Amino acid sequence: METASRRMLFDVTVWTASLFMTLVLVTREAMAGSSTFTATHPKWEAECGTCHIAYPPQLLPAPSWRRVMSGLDKHFGTDAGLDARTAAEIGVFLEQNAASGKRALAAPDTLRITETAWFQREHRKVPEAIWKHPAVKTRANCVACHTAAEQGDYRERNIRMPR
Amino acid sequence: MHTMGSVVGLWVAVSLGYAAWPASAATPVEIQRGFEAAAREGNPGFAGFSAQRGEQFFKAKHSNDWSCASCHTANPLAPGKHATTAKDITPLAPSANPQRFTDAAKVDKWFKRNCNDVLGRLCTAQEKGDVLEYLTSLKK
């Protein structure tokens, strides 16, 4: 009797603990957001993926995308101008798939993914020297380290730092 | 029955043809003709395009820090690299990259953007024709 009830107490504890751990993991994943992005649109791929990779819409909040799309003629020091119809179509796609949760916490005038709080937190351990590496050149060059970024995959297993 | 078959066959062939053909398919020669017509319109003394002038234009720095060669390299038969983002760019010379200068809308779009970046203004029809003359003169 003694051992049986002890056993049951043990079972219940283990069971509750594992349920708790699972919940923690699941919510952490949901809060941090996934790191694989599959939403796609042919015009977005064609027009936003020529000068750099097409940055996933999930990485910037909707107000930021709206600002990016309203200033394409003067786009980070370059002319990325588009006809109004194509720009509007891409804008809808970007805003519909824009960041939610923690990644949406950005000042409304943020234009760069690399200036958002989540980006800086995720990359705080990347040494300064790596950002200046000739194969990286700019923080916006995600593929330099995220080898599968063109497929929208930013998972840790596909990160290779240039050396 | 027989004619029905050929009609369906023809229909399928035509639809496939349309699907495979880009919306504004053109050749570098046709695009050059467009530049020539525009150059004549703007300048009654138009005296043709020059590959040599095009090469100078392509390699020279204008008002800004960039030249065309900053991203497309001084050898347009070779792949280039975007000067800011480091992204690869496929070769610009049609003999090295048959996709180039086959879509008039795409050509217009990039001339507008890149001329704005490099010169701070649009390129003239003369300048565009000279550049195209230079690029088509390059043989692999």
Side-chain angles (χ1 to χ4, degrees):
Chain A
M1 199 55 196
E2 261 284 270
T3 44
S5 64
R6 245 199 230 156
R7 187 77 219 244
M8 188 152 129
L9 187 68
F10 179 77
D11 279 357
V12 167
T13 316
V14 167
W15 192 85
T16 319
S18 58
L19 179 72
F20 180 73
M21 286 307 288
T22 313
L23 280 174
V24 166
L25 284 176
V26 166
T27 40
R28 251 187 54 170
E29 182 67 16
M31 302 262 289
S34 148
S35 31
T36 308
F37 311 102
T38 48
T40 188
H41 183 285
K43 295 217 169 126
W44 164 75
E45 249 183 65
E47 300 292 349
C48 305
T50 38
C51 298
H52 43 67
I53 59 150
Y55 302 119
Q58 294 86 345
L59 301 185
L60 268 184
S64 299
W65 284 126
R66 207 168 307 139
R67 282 180 58 116
V68 168
M69 293 308 291
S70 64
L72 286 177
D73 284 351
K74 294 204 166 55
H75 179 76
F76 305 97
T78 198
D79 180 349
L82 271 182
D83 64 281
R85 236 181 76 197
T86 311
E89 209 178 308
I90 295 174
V92 169
F93 164 75
L94 291 169
E95 289 188 40
Q96 276 176 352
N97 293 283
S100 56
K102 272 193 185 165
R103 289 209 183 109
L105 302 176
D109 59 347
T110 307
L111 287 178
R112 284 184 182 268
I113 296 165
T114 51
E115 279 172 4
T116 59
W118 76 259
F119 183 95
Q120 293 180 347
R121 193 174 51 246
E122 289 284 6
H123 295 87
R124 67 191 180 280
K125 289 187 211 133
V126 176
E128 200 50 42
I130 298 260
W131 295 121
K132 303 212 169 83
H133 192 287
V136 178
K137 273 187 87 164
T138 159
R139 283 167 205 240
N141 186 7
C142 319
V143 260
C145 308
H146 297 276
T147 56
E150 300 220 39
Q151 291 79 52
D153 178 348
Y154 289 82
R155 288 173 303 171
E156 282 196 55
R157 72 169 72 158
N158 288 319
I159 300 177
R160 308 272 179 287
M161 301 282 252
R163 44 177 86 234
Chain B
M1 213 44 217
H2 220 86
T3 41
M4 186 70 176
S6 0
V7 166
V8 169
L10 187 68
W11 183 81
V12 167
V14 168
S15 328
L16 283 177
Y18 271 121
W21 211 244
S24 42
T27 64
V29 173
E30 283 163 13
I31 287 177
Q32 187 66 310
R33 255 188 243 129
F35 291 151
E36 192 180 327
R40 275 187 202 290
E41 207 177 283
N43 172 19
F46 172 73
F49 293 127
S50 146
Q52 201 193 345
R53 239 182 357 241
E55 177 171 8
Q56 274 166 10
F57 178 88
F58 195 85
K59 294 180 177 169
K61 285 194 178 165
H62 302 264
S63 51
N64 300 343
D65 289 345
W66 280 337
S67 68
C68 310
S70 306
C71 295
H72 296 294
T73 81
N75 173 18
L77 292 167
K81 206 178 240 318
H82 194 286
T84 317
T85 66
K87 188 175 197 291
D88 293 332
I89 303 175
T90 53
L92 203 53
S95 71
N97 180 359
Q99 321 247 63
R100 293 300 184 194
F101 299 94
T102 57
D103 177 340
K106 186 179 176 196
V107 170
D108 282 350
K109 180 176 69 186
W110 285 101
F111 263 121
K112 175 200 166 264
R113 288 174 171 175
N114 293 340
C115 291
N116 263 335
D117 284 353
V118 173
L119 296 99
R121 62 165 172 84
L122 298 179
C123 288
T124 63
Q126 178 80 54
E127 287 164 336
K128 292 191 262 192
D130 286 344
V131 166
L132 183 50
E133 198 71 20
Y134 163 56
L135 294 173
T136 45
S137 75
L138 299 169
K139 294 286 174 271
K140 243 174 65 156

